[in-house]
Amino acid sequence: MGALPLGRWAGISSEVPPAAPFTGSPTWLQWGFPGKPRSSATRGAFGSPSRQCRGLQSSGHSLWGVLLSPTPSSPARDPQGSTGGCCRRGAKLAFGSPEWACTEAGVQVSFCSTHTHPSPMMWSLLLSTLLMFLSGSLQTWELKVTRKQENQTVVELRGRQGQALLVAPDGSVRCAQPASEKQEPFLLEVHPSGAWTLQQEHSGKYLESDGEDVFCISRRLTSSHMWMPRLAMHVHVVLFNPSLQLYARADAELKRIWVDTPVPYLEECSFILRFRDGVYHLETANHKFLSRSEKLVKTPSAETAFHLTLKPGCLAFFSDRQGRVLYPHGKRGLLCLGHSPVDSGEWFVVQRCPQWVSLRTRTKRYVTVIHESDVFAGSKKVTPMSIFHFEVNPSCKTVQLRGTNDSYLAQRECKNVVANGYCGEPETNFHVLWHCGKICLRASNGCYLGSLPVGLVAARALHPGPNEEFSLRLANRSFVLLRGPYGYVGCAPGHSVLQCNFLEPDCIELLPCKHGVYHLQTRGKSFWSLTSEKTFETGGKSALNFCLEIRGNNLLAILAPNGYYLRGDREGTLKADGEEVTSETLWEF
């Protein structure tokens, strides 16, 4: 077994640069890439539905993504062999600033959500629009929805630092600071096929690509004006149905998917969105795929392929090639295809898979809520009342623990911890200290949480010791899909070296062991092994110990057996050489 370093402590308040790649719980839009295989990805944030979802805290209405150019040709394949586009070559664009210049290594620009709650007629849709180069580069843009009219939406396209996508009189497209505030907006129209068109509001010209350039000259709608969006959010998601106010759940025994869960704390509520050849395959947590026959099958095929139609307002629905849509049927909410959904029941909000955790003491007892609000460390097994949503507040660098009963743990009088808090209470905030996979929680009274001999959880110790250390487990994850600044962690077919620059992720299985550590292995392969160059390979015969530290909403820092954090470099190499938590050592999961 790999030995863990001793005496390594780290707090949740560790300084992370403002330009850290992920903050909050971002959601992504992404498109396939033509030309040479790509390893980069765009990022951004995706809001939750307008009504508060039970079990999850609402964030702003925002969306990120990329548009796939429709120019027909043989789709390129990414390093893992999946198809990633339908363009012959990338479209190039002239930029008005040197920092936007394209390089052979590619350009990747990203934004974070503003996390505001705009009015129904004025909200921001953050979109990563495809502006490809011959080198296969990618740019990210903000698509701001200014108003809606009939079935169209009026939008403005802006890049980082306020630079706008501008159309010259000759139809050429460039990125620069607008000469005036009256640049011509675009009409965004969503077509029945799921494709989008962007048409200048006054001139009527469509944004298009010929596979090499992006321009805006034609008023006649053709296939070259169609842009097919692909979600670029992290592919590990939950599906919330606003009509029923319930989440989808996979039933492994009956091989069905039901929309019947109010709080998505079960791993069965999580899904993986697999994008191949322009369509999606909905994969369950036990790696089965939803088919058109409503059953779960083992392998993806044409029978498991669905089109995903996106709608401003962070909504999406799945449909098959015959035009039927997926929506919940009957009292139990069986998810299957049909033609007549009721009350817009086909629409789902695609949300990041939330991080539900359990806390276990050194006596192997789980922190559990009993009698509605009392908190004891007495259960030997994980129950629904011993699972908590781990919510990180980046502004004050604290965490909150929300139970499945929708109440927060709070430090009350007599230093006891009770599960009757609400989101805005200072007593529900806890400062975090990490130590070799274990977590210490400091309450608002300055004392650390621990369990008394009778099992009662209270904040009484001024300094953390063994009694104040809890083993934190991801309660709804038997695997993770790690994504860094340059792509997902994975292993190319026929190779053993682990890299972090893939468009499609490999499932990394989490094998929990004692003392708050995990063993990692790539699904279908053997354990991870650490080389002398501090890189990783699959094929290890003995398991190594890794420590997982939750450093943000859906953000992990992973401590390797050599005492360093996992880091991804610009060449896509996964290394264990990070001395502290920085933007390069944070992994979206």
Side-chain angles (χ1 to χ4, degrees), residues 249-324:
R249 174 185 61 87
D251 189 330
E253 182 177 355
L254 298 178
K255 298 181 180 180
R256 298 289 194 277
I257 294 179
W258 311 94
V259 183
D260 63 355
T261 305
V263 181
Y265 67 88
L266 299 170
E267 186 172 30
E268 291 82 357
C269 295
S270 66
F271 300 88
I272 302 173
L273 296 176
R274 298 289 188 184
F275 184 82
R276 292 185 176 93
D277 297 327
V279 293
Y280 283 89
H281 303 265
L282 191 61
E283 182 179 349
T284 65
N286 64 342
H287 308 296
K288 300 296 189 294
F289 296 85
L290 179 64
S291 68
R292 297 170 65 235
S293 64
E294 77 193 34
K295 294 183 179 180
L296 298 178
V297 297
K298 293 182 179 180
T299 57
S301 65
E303 289 299 305
T304 66
F306 296 95
H307 294 282
L308 185 67
T309 299
L310 302 175
K311 176 182 178 181
C314 308
L315 295 171
F317 71 80
F318 297 88
S319 61
D320 70 352
R321 57 179 179 268
Q322 297 178 351
R324 298 180 299 171

Side-chain angles (χ1 to χ4, degrees), residues 323-343:
R324 298 180 299 171
V325 297
L326 283 174
Y327 62 93
H329 289 66
K331 294 182 179 180
R332 292 192 61 186
L334 175 64
L335 186 63
C336 56
L337 290 167
H339 291 285
S340 304
V342 179
D343 297 330

Side-chain angles (χ1 to χ4, degrees), residues 414-561:
C414 301
K415 302 181 181 180
N416 292 342
V417 174
V418 184
N420 63 359
Y422 57 88
C423 183
E425 280 189 289
E427 291 81 7
T428 63
N429 292 311
F430 298 92
H431 290 269
V432 170
L433 200 63
W434 290 98
H435 180 222
C436 296
K438 297 181 181 179
I439 188 173
C440 298
L441 299 170
R442 180 162 57 86
S444 57
N445 65 351
C447 297
Y448 288 89
L449 268 62
S451 60
L452 303 182
V454 295
L456 183 68
V457 177
R460 298 189 177 185
L462 292 176
H463 302 284
N467 190 55
E468 285 70 44
E469 290 185 345
F470 296 91
S471 296
L472 184 142
R473 299 293 188 194
L474 293 171
N476 64 333
R477 311 285 181 101
S478 61
F479 65 91
V480 290
L481 308 172
L482 298 177
R483 182 166 69 174
Y486 311 110
Y488 286 101
V489 173
C491 187
H495 295 77
S496 61
V497 178
L498 286 162
Q499 295 179 290
C500 55
N501 57 356
F502 292 103
L503 291 175
E504 292 290 336
D506 279 349
C507 289
I508 301 169
E509 295 180 347
L510 301 176
L511 306 177
C513 54
K514 59 183 180 179
H515 306 310
V517 299
Y518 283 91
H519 299 157
L520 303 184
Q521 68 178 25
T522 304
R523 182 170 175 259
K525 301 181 180 180
S526 51
F527 292 109
W528 286 18
S529 62
L530 184 62
T531 70
S532 57
E533 291 80 17
K534 298 181 180 180
T535 61
F536 290 93
E537 295 181 353
T538 59
K541 295 182 180 180
S542 60
L544 300 179
N545 294 336
F546 294 83
C547 297
L548 307 186
E549 302 175 0
I550 300 179
R551 292 306 190 99
N553 294 312
N554 293 103
L555 285 178
L556 277 182
I558 302 177
L559 191 63

Side-chain angles (χ1 to χ4, degrees), residues 16-92:
V16 177
F22 313 109
T23 56
S25 52
T27 300
W28 301 53
L29 278 175
Q30 181 173 302
W31 319 93
F33 302 94
K36 59 176 73 174
R38 295 300 305 140
S39 60
S40 59
T42 55
R43 57 181 172 271
F46 189 99
S48 47
S50 56
R51 292 199 288 176
Q52 181 89 0
C53 298
R54 186 182 175 198
L56 286 177
Q57 186 176 358
S58 175
S59 57
H61 292 82
S62 53
L63 181 68
W64 283 84
V66 185
L67 291 178
L68 183 65
S69 174
T71 309
S73 184
S74 300
R77 291 187 176 270
D78 67 14
Q80 288 181 297
S82 63
T83 55
C86 58
C87 299
R88 180 173 59 250
R89 287 186 293 176
K92 55 187 177 180

Side-chain angles (χ1 to χ4, degrees), residues 53-132:
C53 298
R54 186 182 175 198
L56 286 177
Q57 186 176 358
S58 175
S59 57
H61 292 82
S62 53
L63 181 68
W64 283 84
V66 185
L67 291 178
L68 183 65
S69 174
T71 309
S73 184
S74 300
R77 291 187 176 270
D78 67 14
Q80 288 181 297
S82 63
T83 55
C86 58
C87 299
R88 180 173 59 250
R89 287 186 293 176
K92 55 187 177 180
L93 182 73
F95 292 98
S97 172
E99 68 177 86
W100 294 84
C102 171
T103 64
E104 286 299 322
V107 179
Q108 182 180 13
V109 184
S110 61
F111 300 86
C112 294
S113 171
T114 55
H115 293 289
T116 57
H117 295 273
S119 65
M121 295 302 294
M122 187 70 167
W123 46 270
S124 292
L125 179 69
L126 295 185
L127 176 72
S128 175
T129 305
L130 165 81
L131 297 172
M132 294 186 182

